Amino acid sequence: MKFNKSEVSMGGSYLEEGVHIISFDDIDRKTTKTGKEMWVLTLKDAKGATTRKNILDNDYKFDNGKTAFETELERMLYSISDAGFEIPDVDFTFDNIDQFLKSKPYKAFIRVRPQKNDPQYTEAIFISKDQFDKDIEKQANDAYRDWE
């Protein structure tokens, strides 16, 4: 094999830390090493940069009585709704998320930040439009202050 640097693909670009408007590029059902089911969502911005979001089907409950899955699903649907899409009146379950997400080219708001337990990796968190707008304004103000 002859090496030609211009023909080598080093993979796609990844979403940087900050807030983004994304679409759902791919939805994949997988099983974790411990046997739990999960959805792996590939989220993509308008420039093609991506990140992944895992949504586990687990029974862990928060203080409000909702499972981690229900809480993550609510945050995702809230964000999609804030992006201007109507959420159908259906009973969302782990088994029908993909049907919903594949039915339209939905958009949502996310914040990418370093993971708390391992800062070398990032995590995507669904956020509201208000949170998105506040973060954008803060980024602009910080950039202006840094420039002065």
Side-chain angles (χ1 to χ4, degrees):
M1 172 190 97
K2 287 193 171 191
F3 175 72
N4 185 341
K5 189 172 183 176
S6 66
E7 294 177 2
V8 176
S9 171
M10 297 300 281
S13 62
Y14 297 99
L15 289 173
E16 294 180 8
E17 192 174 329
V19 292
H20 305 273
I21 299 173
I22 55 88
S23 61
F24 297 85
D25 190 47
D26 192 28
I27 302 108
D28 218 6
R29 190 174 189 156
K30 297 198 176 207
T31 305
T32 67
K33 292 177 186 174
T34 60
K36 294 282 186 189
E37 293 288 314
M38 73 175 173
W39 287 108
V40 179
L41 310 176
T42 302
L43 311 175
K44 181 166 62 171
D45 73 1
K47 296 177 183 175
T50 62
T51 192
R52 290 213 166 91
K53 173 73 177 169
N54 298 337
I55 300 180
L56 291 168
D57 185 20
N58 63 27
D59 298 328
Y60 175 81
K61 290 199 179 203
F62 292 106
D63 291 339
N64 64 7
K66 293 184 180 178
T67 65
F69 164 74
E70 291 168 329
T71 301
E72 194 65 52
L73 180 60
E74 283 180 338
R75 290 182 63 87
M76 181 181 70
L77 295 173
Y78 191 103
S79 184
I80 291 170
S81 174
D82 266 12
F85 293 92
E86 188 173 326
I87 305 299
D89 186 20
V90 298
D91 185 18
F92 287 99
T93 66
F94 185 80
D95 292 321
N96 68 10
I97 294 173
D98 63 328
Q99 295 165 6
F100 167 71
L101 292 176
K102 290 177 180 177
S103 69
K104 289 184 182 172
Y106 289 106
K107 303 243 184 290
F109 303 99
I110 64 166
R111 177 182 297 124
V112 176
R113 68 178 187 196
Q115 288 182 359
K116 290 178 184 174
N117 58 345
D118 195 349
Q120 73 178 10
Y121 297 105
T122 59
E123 64 181 336
I125 301 159
F126 289 104
I127 59 174
S128 69
K129 173 124 178 38
D130 286 344
Q131 291 169 310
F132 177 85
D133 290 342
K134 286 176 187 173
D135 279 13
I136 289 291
E137 184 177 337
K138 181 181 180 318
Q139 287 174 2
N141 288 338
D142 289 349
Y144 182 76
R145 251 184 263 114
D146 291 346
W147 192 63
E148 289 184 316

